[in-house]
Amino acid sequence: MFSRVSQWIGVLAFGCLSTAALAQELAPDVLVKSVAAEVLEIVRSDKGIWAGNPKRVMDLAEEKVLPHFNFVRMTALAMGPSWRRATPDQQKLVVDQFRTLLVHTYSAGLTAYRNQTVDYKPLRGKPADTEVTVRSEIRQSGAQAIPIDYNMEKTEGGWKVFDVAIGGVSLVTTYRDSFAQEVRANGIDGLIKTLVEKNKQNAGTRK
Amino acid sequence: MREPHRITPHDYSVEKRPGWSAFFAGLCAGRLAISAILSLHVLMLAGCANVNPRDPLESYNRVVYAFNDAVDRNVLKPVSEGYKFVVPRIARLGIRNFFANLEDLWIGANNLLQLKVGDALSDWMRVVLNTTFGIAGLYDVASDAGLEKHNEDFGQTLGWWGLPSGPFFVIPLLGPSTFRDTSAWYIDAIASPFGAAIGAIDSENVAGIRYGLWTLNIINRRADALGATTLIDQAALDRYTFTRDAFLQRRRNLVFDGDPPREKDPDEESRVREEPSGQASAPVDDAVVNDATSARMTPATVQSEVQAHAK
């Protein structure tokens, strides 16, 4: 009952709301779809991005995409048991560095984007769910479509992504062993140091 | 602290799988010197206490990985970059489609072996459409007509019948694999139409065409993957670990056709409980942790997965 009322209010107020405010009300699949469509439209039309201007891509990611990610939870999942052993300061450092690393990787992937089409599959689950997986597929000629799944959770600030799986390869899981390996060898500070160096190296290779 | 490893060595011993899997395992083991590798594996397990159960051959694998990497960096990658620079995109797409069309025959056969008759028929219908309307497979008209391309090979067929992947194994020059997929790769190589066609050409003594096609296929594929390897360079803390973990997840996902079952995670006590100061606490439930560790399997889950799959 209440949800129907709020739906009507939503419809009536639609014209007045800014997109930012709207994002908090959007269903997770609608959110992913609209963000992806908006970003891809910009990538397609922006000459600077086509020319591989990294600053523009980073700005685009920072402004449009990153607000919809929960990096704290991503980092915690990637660190596994080490997360709880880290001090709050260490946790903050790892989150910051991991975020930088993922942003860089994501931006690099975005510049490679060309003319593939993206399909979305119907959302499974109940309206009351606080965690869902939004499934999409990138179609391409002569190859199997690449599934991209966004694992999302409901927060007060709207739905947030806490893991992305490309072709069944989860970002968080793939970093798990790498993080554990660093922590085993050089402790949590060693992991932070490695992440900092990796980010410096990435920043250096960028023109 | 408890090690996060959850598989014991006997979990992936091929001899323990009954029925069909034993049949296939025997088929492959006969062709390859798998027993020799297995005994080496047991020796290495005895030697190191702190070994990743999915990768008991890590020290060997790292050496081969480094070798493959050197070959790639010095030969294959530069050649592929040159190829990509010289050959127009439309031509590269046609070449990719041409080889993909040949592969579809064998993909259909593997779908049939996995009792997915509808998928098999769809794959073969793709071949018919692409070979005729797609001009010998240069155009992928079947995808446009709504017939999806599938990804199957004999390793996935073995996995579908319940054979576990076994330890991670890097093949010299060929790259990441597992014990199961290494043996299956041999079957793929001789049974696929591409392999068979190559063999037929060989009998007419035109080795030039034979090696030319092989090389073209490899370079074209490598050119396709240039973006992906750049991504790994940027994303990975340790490229070996990153590649291994991504590969194993990918294979498991393919065996279950993109929908692998979730698993119970023994590491539940290691869930997130604290957040950095000033951050809201994030709740974590079983499903999430299970997802994050879905690459790890136990014999019981493998068995139940296979049963669930066979329904």
Side-chain angles (χ1 to χ4, degrees):
Chain A
M1 178 61 194
F2 178 76
S3 68
R4 184 165 295 174
V5 171
S6 61
Q7 262 179 18
W8 274 108
I9 295 172
V11 170
L12 290 170
F14 185 83
C16 318
L17 286 171
S18 74
T19 43
L22 197 63
Q24 301 190 353
E25 310 296 328
L26 287 179
D29 52 338
V30 181
L31 176 67
V32 171
K33 249 184 258 186
S34 62
V35 170
E38 192 183 357
V39 169
L40 293 181
E41 188 50 44
I42 296 173
V43 170
R44 277 187 189 127
S45 56
D46 192 310
K47 291 276 191 303
I49 290 171
W50 274 82
N53 181 339
K55 177 82 171 64
R56 292 194 80 105
V57 185
M58 299 284 272
D59 288 349
L60 178 66
E62 195 73 50
E63 187 193 338
K64 300 285 182 194
V65 182
L66 302 185
H68 304 295
F69 278 73
N70 182 350
F71 284 102
V72 174
R73 183 159 177 199
M74 285 179 105
T75 313
L77 286 169
M79 281 183 77
S82 311
W83 175 256
R84 283 192 300 140
R85 295 207 312 271
T87 66
D89 284 348
Q90 284 176 322
Q91 289 181 346
K92 192 169 181 322
L93 280 169
V94 180
V95 171
D96 286 351
Q97 292 301 323
F98 191 37
R99 184 180 194 272
T100 308
L101 181 65
L102 292 179
V103 171
H104 181 92
T105 311
Y106 176 83
S107 312
L110 206 57
T111 39
Y113 180 83
R114 287 296 180 262
N115 293 315
Q116 296 93 334
T117 52
V118 188
D119 284 353
Y120 292 91
K121 297 185 175 174
L123 199 61
R124 292 182 211 162
K126 299 178 284 290
D129 285 348
T130 52
E131 291 201 348
V132 295
T133 303
V134 176
R135 295 166 197 275
S136 66
E137 272 187 353
I138 294 187
R139 302 201 168 276
Q140 45 182 0
S141 173
Q144 197 192 32
I146 302 168
I148 301 187
D149 295 348
Y150 302 87
N151 285 317
M152 302 180 77
E153 62 173 343
K154 196 173 193 171
T155 72
E156 285 172 10
W159 288 86
K160 304 274 185 197
V161 177
F162 65 87
D163 193 11
V164 181
I166 302 167
V169 180
S170 142
L171 200 61
V172 163
T173 310
T174 305
Y175 275 106
R176 261 203 157 189
D177 276 2
S178 304
F179 278 23
Q181 190 178 306
E182 284 299 328
V183 171
R184 248 200 321 271
N186 301 308
I188 290 161
D189 286 332
L191 171 65
I192 295 168
K193 193 161 160 275
T194 308
L195 283 167
V196 170
E197 277 164 14
K198 184 76 205 171
N199 285 328
K200 270 189 197 152
Q201 193 186 325
N202 280 342
T205 55
R206 207 189 300 146
K207 283 163 278 177
Chain B
M1 194 207 98
R2 196 150 53 84
E3 276 297 308
H5 303 142
R6 284 174 279 278
I7 320 181
T8 54
H10 67 263
D11 291 350
Y12 37 68
S13 80
V14 285
E15 295 85 349
K16 294 213 167 182
R17 321 285 333 160
W20 276 102
S21 24
F23 167 75
F24 283 121
L27 193 70
C28 304
R31 294 285 193 168
L32 281 183
I34 266 208
S35 56
I37 304 171
L38 271 177
S39 48
L40 174 66
H41 154 220
V42 170
L43 275 177
M44 293 198 57
L45 270 187
C48 1
N50 192 14
V51 76
N52 183 337
R54 291 180 301 152
D55 191 10
L57 297 176
E58 180 166 347
S59 38
Y60 155 84
N61 281 336
R62 277 189 185 272
V63 172
V64 180
Y65 183 84
F67 168 75
N68 287 354
D69 205 41
V71 172
D72 183 63
R73 269 169 206 278
N74 293 304
V75 184
L76 193 52
K77 190 166 176 251
V79 170
S80 304
E81 280 166 345
Y83 170 87
K84 194 175 177 181
F85 184 73
V86 173
V87 180
R89 204 180 95 85
I90 185 82
R92 281 186 279 125
L93 202 60
I95 291 163
R96 187 211 282 172
N97 287 340
F98 174 78
F99 287 116
N101 185 42
L102 289 177
E103 283 165 5
D104 274 343
L105 274 171
W106 180 234
I107 289 171
N110 274 291
N111 267 325
L112 198 63
L113 287 171
Q114 296 172 33
L115 313 182
K116 293 181 279 194
V117 181
D119 284 355
L121 291 176
S122 160
D123 291 328
W124 290 332
M125 185 54 80
R126 281 179 55 86
V127 178
V128 172
L129 285 177
N130 284 341
T131 306
T132 53
F133 296 108
I135 314 173
L138 290 177
Y139 296 93
D140 184 8
V141 289
S143 284
D144 297 336
L147 290 176
E148 272 181 51
K149 182 165 177 71
H150 298 122
N151 184 331
E152 299 292 347
D153 52 53
F154 197 63
Q156 292 181 47
T157 300
L158 294 178
W160 191 89
W161 283 101
L163 187 72
S165 69
F168 184 63
F169 182 65
V170 183
I171 312 176
L173 295 175
L174 289 177
S177 187
T178 60
F179 276 19
R180 179 192 69 206
D181 292 341
T182 303
S183 41
W185 176 84
Y186 184 74
I187 305 285
D188 282 332
I190 54 168
S192 70
F194 185 57
I198 296 286
I201 292 169
D202 184 42
S203 64
E204 290 164 23
N205 200 21
V206 273
I209 298 177
R210 177 193 187 201
Y211 293 119
L213 279 175
W214 264 114
T215 313
L216 183 61
N217 190 15
I218 289 168
I219 292 175
N220 204 64
R221 273 165 184 256
R222 184 65 185 90
D224 276 347
L226 281 171
T229 48
T230 311
L231 210 66
I232 292 174
D233 286 345
Q234 290 173 342
L237 301 182
D238 175 350
R239 293 175 58 236
Y240 171 81
T241 309
F242 194 90
T243 309
R244 176 192 68 200
D245 294 347
F247 174 83
L248 291 176
Q249 282 184 72
R250 177 69 182 146
R251 287 301 293 179
R252 180 163 188 271
N253 189 268
L254 285 174
V255 165
F256 289 101
D257 292 327
D259 204 8
R262 289 181 165 177
E263 288 166 282
K264 199 76 188 154
D265 181 27
D267 253 9
E268 268 168 39
E269 67 271 29
S270 70
R271 290 181 209 167
V272 189
R273 297 206 195 283
E274 298 155 47
E275 306 290 331
S277 46
Q279 302 271 6
S281 139
V284 176
D285 69 357
D286 292 357
V288 177
V289 182
N290 289 347
D291 252 3
T293 55
S294 58
R296 287 155 181 144
M297 306 168 85
T298 65
T301 54
V302 171
Q303 204 58 52
S304 61
E305 280 161 13
V306 171
Q307 282 160 0
H309 209 82
K311 275 176 204 162

